[in-house]
Amino acid sequence: MLITADWVLPVSRPPIRHGAVLVEHGIIVEVGSARELERLKFSGEHRHFPGCAVTPGLVNAHTHLSLTALGGLLESTPFEEWLPRLVRAMSDWGPEEFAASAALGSLKCLQAGVTVVGDVAYGPEAPAAAADAGLAGVFFWEVLGVSAPRLYAELEKREFPVTERGWCGTRLRCGLSPHAPYTCEPRLIAAVHEASVEFGIPFAMHVAESSAEVELLAHGTGPLAEAAARLVPGFSAPGSSPIAYVDRLDALDGCTVIHACHAEPSDIARLAAAARGVVTCPRSNLFLHNPIAPVARILRAGVPVGVGTDSAASNSDLNLMEELRCLHHENHSIKPSQLIEMVTVMGALALGLEDRFGILETGMQADMAAFEIGETSDPESDFVKHADATTLRGVMSSGIWRVLDGELIEPIAEVARSAQAARIRAEHALTRT
């Protein structure tokens, strides 16, 4: 199969005008100019995207697909007020609701040009739904509020698959995540990290997201103190920043650090020395009255920074390019080429998936997206300006078209109906006295 477009943005090298990507058996065979590749003998179709830029499938490096059905139910409030309402909204859900919500989230990712996710999973429902939709990524089983000795029993109860380095096939990998410093005792954080090292699987953690978290860890006070007392018996403030605290537990090593909104200069040095990468979620951070992470400083320190939408419960949609434009609006010093890297190769690096995703090169998975950007001599700038769910023309994952002419190949209506039923249950939970 040959895919051609006005521009191909491999990310690993400069943009190619009148570019082409040759795909066979779900793998990229060659990337170059259309003139060169059209001379090669190839089997299958030739699809051209006029006025478009073809990029690697976008990487939404932090999602909660299982919460998609909650979109629009929770108003924008400070994080510490939003969190208990989220827990209440989910209180009546079982596996069916989580599965339906994750299926809807998976399809909405495809509609945004995303083929790879870094998802927080509560059980097997999200990775199963994502695999059915054709997504790839890392699914971090989240643990909180249990004692360290109970970790393995909890993972077994939640059906965590212990496979070779977490890989389930060539596209899905499972990892572990202690939720946050205020919901997990120190020994649990250390135990989850040790388990990730033992299994050779990815490790992630929400760290330094809110000012309430910063206050709690520095002084033991503030609006999260009650939650910490309930979920972390005998909680004692370490008297440090959240990032320094996680580092002190030796859990920053190889960690995908989610949010880092309150990363100070000393914290950034720690991230550069130990972390796998950072994921920023600009619109979700603003929704929850948090600052956007100091991305430019983190990038200058040499840390890969991916971009995520977080969940639909703390955002208006799962449109990853809107996150990028929000970030660009806040910081014009980040160049368009670097912004594109953040939603492709840097997202893959932050998740440990850079050997398969994030660039268009020979041997990589055939994941790509075509966005209409119009006639241009500066495709990177115009991609950042115009690439959007409304300008998406095609999405391929594993060599299979998932979106063509802007429309999902798989109908979304039945999935949306199932997710609506989950949403109604959440609405009832929120209004119950």
Side-chain angles (χ1 to χ4, degrees):
M1 183 188 306
L2 187 67
I3 297 99
T4 56
D6 287 12
W7 289 96
V8 168
L9 310 183
V11 178
S12 52
R13 48 177 143 147
I16 305 169
R17 185 188 284 272
H18 304 307
V21 183
L22 183 60
V23 172
E24 289 183 5
H25 308 298
I27 301 295
I28 296 174
V29 175
E30 189 63 73
V31 179
S33 73
R35 180 176 295 179
E36 293 170 348
L37 269 60
E38 284 169 353
R39 293 174 183 163
L40 301 176
K41 292 182 179 180
F42 64 91
S43 59
E45 65 179 302
H46 175 184
R47 186 169 292 275
H48 181 59
F49 290 95
C52 291
V54 170
T55 70
L58 303 184
V59 180
N60 187 338
H62 180 59
T63 63
H64 293 254
L65 296 178
S66 298
L67 304 184
T68 306
L70 300 179
L73 280 185
L74 305 178
E75 63 274 13
S76 172
T77 57
F79 174 78
E80 61 273 11
E81 297 175 21
W82 171 88
L83 186 59
R85 286 185 57 77
L86 172 68
V87 173
R88 185 171 182 178
M90 298 163 55
S91 60
D92 290 344
W93 276 13
E96 288 185 7
E97 287 76 20
F98 281 110
S101 190
L104 181 64
S106 298
L107 295 180
K108 286 186 175 294
C109 281
L110 291 174
Q111 288 179 309
V114 168
T115 66
V116 182
V117 296
D119 187 64
V120 172
Y122 310 106
E125 295 82 16
D132 287 345
L135 292 183
V138 180
F139 292 81
F140 296 97
W141 256 245
E142 186 173 80
V143 243
L144 71 159
V146 298
S147 64
R150 289 284 306 159
L151 172 61
Y152 287 92
E154 179 71 11
L155 293 177
E156 183 177 356
K157 176 184 172 184
R158 302 259 295 280
E159 301 180 53
F160 180 77
V162 181
T163 58
E164 182 62 29
R165 295 186 62 81
W167 283 104
C168 301
T170 59
R171 296 179 56 80
L172 265 63
R173 200 174 182 198
C174 296
L176 294 173
S177 175
H179 171 254
Y182 53 89
T183 57
C184 299
E185 65 176 16
R187 289 179 301 170
L188 178 62
I189 295 171
V192 176
H193 186 265
E194 288 167 8
S196 73
V197 173
E198 177 189 345
F199 298 150
I201 59 177
F203 174 86
M205 192 171 181
H206 300 78
V207 186
E209 182 176 4
S210 68
S211 57
E213 178 186 344
V214 173
E215 180 183 353
L216 177 73
L217 267 69
H219 308 294
T221 57
L224 285 177
E226 182 181 342
R230 184 175 69 255
L231 295 169
V232 186
F235 175 83
S236 176
S240 68
S241 75
I243 292 172
Y245 172 60
V246 173
D247 192 25
R248 188 185 307 167
L249 297 174
D250 292 327
L252 200 60
D253 185 30
C255 181
T256 301
V257 175
I258 302 164
H259 297 307
C261 300
H262 294 271
E264 300 299 326
S266 59
D267 293 324
I268 294 173
R270 291 184 173 91
L271 293 172
R276 180 185 296 279
V278 168
V279 182
T280 183
C281 304
R283 290 190 300 158
S284 175
N285 294 148
L286 295 177
F287 185 96
L288 298 175
H289 300 202
N290 295 322
I292 296 174
V295 170
R297 295 205 302 270
I298 296 172
L299 287 170
R300 284 196 295 270
V303 181
V305 179
V307 181
T309 57
D310 214 326
S311 78
S314 62
N315 212 329
S316 54
D317 53 47
L318 300 183
N319 189 344
L320 186 64
M321 289 304 299
E322 282 300 320
E323 302 295 331
L324 207 62
R325 282 186 281 273
C326 176
L327 185 62
H328 193 215
H329 177 76
E330 294 291 324
N331 194 327
H332 287 287
S333 69
I334 306 174
K335 297 182 295 185
S337 60
Q338 203 166 26
L339 289 166
I340 295 170
E341 289 176 0
M342 290 175 68
V343 291
T344 54
V345 67
M346 277 202 265
L349 281 163
L351 296 172
L353 297 174
E354 68 275 11
D355 61 333
R356 305 179 191 213
F357 305 101
I359 59 174
L360 298 177
E361 290 292 352
T362 301
M364 304 297 281
Q365 289 275 304
D367 282 35
M368 62 195 81
F371 292 90
E372 188 170 348
I373 62 171
E375 179 66 30
T376 179
S377 59
D378 187 355
E380 293 174 323
S381 292
D382 283 321
F383 179 83
V384 172
K385 289 177 186 174
H386 302 301
D388 193 81
T390 60
T391 61
L392 181 69
R393 297 294 171 258
V395 175
M396 170 183 283
S397 70
S398 195
I400 299 171
W401 291 112
R402 312 293 179 176
V403 173
L404 275 176
D405 301 321
E407 299 293 331
L408 280 165
I409 301 297
E410 178 181 336
I412 197 171
E414 184 177 344
V415 173
R417 280 194 295 272
S418 297
Q420 180 62 19
R423 178 188 176 89
I424 290 169
R425 293 201 72 172
E427 287 176 324
H428 289 164
L430 284 170
T431 56
R432 190 168 53 229
T433 57

